């Protein structure tokens, strides 16, 4: 028997010749030269596959796969001429197995084939998830599911002009208050896109709630929305306190208890809000990225 097939490792177990790169190269060259049926009938090839299953078992487990799935990926790699000609055949096999395991895991998450999951234009997406997995429906607040109002040029019938006491004037007042609130946050250091997305979502949930206090409590626990909007916990709480008002019952009839949105709706102009030092400090210190944010 050849010397490389009888060497023993530190554990005392007999070491196979293919466990080092040169031994693997020699075995792969022999199997390649033998031709058709060599992998099926050669006992050393069977031992190589058992060794590959053991060698990559931890890698397979990390990606939720069976060890023999990793061994199959190793088998596919070993049949390529590039592995036989590589400076380190085992390194090439390990690299190929790792890529296959990652692609298998991504394919299961994306509900697509492994070959498609290998492509960068598919692998960048997050794993598929059910709408029912979330406490709050994604369609309620994610911009991708919002439909903009139709352009006036495509309206079938012209809208009737609202009278002085109609709901159109009330809607305009609410829309103006929301825009002024967004402008306030933007002027005081909040990114425009973050301020708009966060405030519009708060207003949407407020319209669905029975009161400002119930809306505040529901939004305070809305972790998924906060993560999707990209707002940290302290900034999210500060935004809720500023827009909806502080939840403390003792502050109900104060400026802090009313909140910016209500103060604008009852007639306070934006310039008055900009003179409220406590309000300005709350918004500025809670701006995302502000290094001097206070702890809550």
């Amino acid at each position: 028997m050849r010397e490389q097939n009888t060497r023993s490792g530190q554990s005392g177990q007999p070491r196979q010749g293919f466990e080092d790169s040169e031994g693997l190269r020699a075995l792969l060259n022999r199997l390649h030269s033998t031709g058709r049926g060599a992998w099926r009938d050669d006992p050393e090839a069977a031992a190589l596959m058992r060794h590959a299953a053991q060698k990559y078992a931890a890698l397979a487990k990390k990606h939720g796969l069976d060890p023999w799935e990793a061994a199959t990926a190793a088998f596919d790699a070993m049949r390529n001429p590039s592995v036989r000609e590589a400076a380190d055949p085992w390194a090439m096999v390990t690299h190929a197995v790792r890529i296959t395991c990652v692609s298998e895991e991504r394919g299961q998450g994306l509900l697509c084939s492994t070959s498609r999951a290998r492509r960068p234009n598919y692998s960048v997406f997050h794993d598929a998830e059910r709408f029912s997995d979330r406490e709050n429906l994604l369609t309620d607040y994610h911009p991708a599911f919002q439909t903009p109002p139709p352009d006036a040029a495509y309206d079938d019938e012209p809208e009737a002009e609202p009278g002085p006491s109609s709901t159109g004037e009330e809607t305009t007042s609410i829309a103006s208050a929301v825009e002024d609130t967004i402008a306030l946050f933007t002027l005081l250091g909040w990114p425009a896109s973050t301020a708009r997305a966060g405030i519009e979502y708060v207003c949407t949930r407020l319209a669905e709630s029975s009161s400002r206090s119930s809306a505040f409590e529901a939004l305070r626990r809305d972790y998924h929305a906060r993560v999707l909007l990209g707002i940290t916990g302290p900034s999210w709480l500060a935004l809720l306190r500023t827009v909806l008002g502080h939840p403390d019952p003792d502050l109900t009839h104060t400026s802090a208890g009313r909140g910016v949105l209500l103060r604008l709706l009852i007639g306070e102009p934006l310039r008055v809000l900009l003179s409220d030092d406590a309000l300005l400090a709350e918004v500025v210190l809670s701006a995302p990225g502000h290094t001097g944010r206070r702890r809550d």
Side-chain angles (χ1 to χ4, degrees):
M1 182 180 293
R2 293 176 300 175
E3 181 181 355
Q4 65 180 4
N5 288 334
T6 58
R7 289 180 297 179
S8 300
Q10 295 180 356
S11 62
Q13 297 294 331
R15 180 169 179 173
Q16 303 291 336
F18 51 70
E19 290 188 18
D20 58 58
S21 289
E22 291 306 318
L24 176 63
R25 190 197 314 278
L27 174 58
L28 295 179
N29 285 329
R30 181 173 65 78
L31 292 172
H32 177 70
S33 61
T34 301
R36 195 178 189 90
W39 282 92
R40 183 181 64 247
D41 302 329
D42 194 294
E44 197 171 4
L48 174 62
M49 288 296 95
R50 288 193 295 270
H51 175 70
Q54 296 173 357
K55 181 180 181 68
Y56 299 118
L59 181 61
K61 183 179 180 180
K62 176 182 176 182
H63 296 283
L65 302 175
D66 184 86
W68 284 103
E69 293 182 89
T72 301
F75 169 72
D76 292 335
M78 291 174 185
R79 297 170 64 192
N80 293 323
S82 59
V83 173
R84 299 194 302 271
E85 299 168 0
D88 189 345
W90 271 121
M92 287 282 290
V93 174
T94 301
H95 181 64
V97 172
R98 182 180 293 108
I99 291 177
T100 300
C101 289
V102 171
S103 300
E104 285 282 356
E105 184 181 26
R106 295 294 293 133
Q108 292 175 11
L110 296 171
L111 305 181
C112 67
S113 64
T114 304
S115 59
R116 179 168 291 184
R118 291 175 183 265
R119 304 175 188 173
N121 55 328
Y122 290 99
S123 61
V124 295
F125 298 118
H126 62 75
D127 289 355
E129 57 181 310
R130 297 182 179 89
F131 287 147
S132 59
D133 291 341
R134 296 178 175 271
E135 181 180 353
N136 302 292
L137 291 178
L138 193 66
T139 53
D140 288 347
Y141 56 84
H142 198 283
F145 298 99
Q146 306 303 314
T147 303
D151 191 16
Y154 296 96
D155 289 346
D156 295 333
E157 297 180 1
E159 295 182 358
E161 295 186 2
S165 60
S166 66
T167 57
E169 191 172 290
E170 180 184 354
T171 303
T172 302
S173 177
I174 295 174
S176 177
V178 173
E179 290 298 324
D180 286 346
T181 305
I182 296 171
L184 175 67
F185 275 71
T186 304
L187 288 172
L188 297 178
W190 279 65
S193 58
T194 303
R196 177 170 295 278
I199 292 171
E200 287 183 347
Y201 177 64
V202 169
C203 293
T204 300
R205 294 300 304 274
L206 175 61
E208 299 170 351
S209 302
S210 57
S211 64
R212 282 187 298 136
S213 59
S214 62
F216 186 101
E217 186 60 25
L219 287 163
R220 182 182 66 81
R221 296 176 295 168
D222 198 342
Y223 174 79
H224 292 292
R226 176 168 66 79
V227 171
L228 287 174
L229 292 169
I231 303 176
T232 62
S235 295
W236 180 243
L237 288 176
L239 183 145
L240 296 180
R241 285 195 300 264
T242 304
V243 175
L244 299 178
H246 202 289
D248 189 347
D250 295 334
L251 301 175
T252 300
H253 301 293
T254 65
S255 296
R258 290 191 180 99
V260 169
L261 194 60
L262 179 58
R263 293 173 66 181
L264 289 169
L265 287 172
I266 62 178
E268 287 191 39
L270 187 57
R271 63 177 180 274
V272 173
L273 299 181
L274 289 172
S275 63
D276 188 334
D277 292 338
L279 171 64
L280 300 184
E282 179 84 353
V283 178
V284 170
L285 291 174
S286 64
H290 193 279
T291 56
R293 182 182 304 135
R294 67 189 180 194
R295 295 183 178 178
D296 294 298

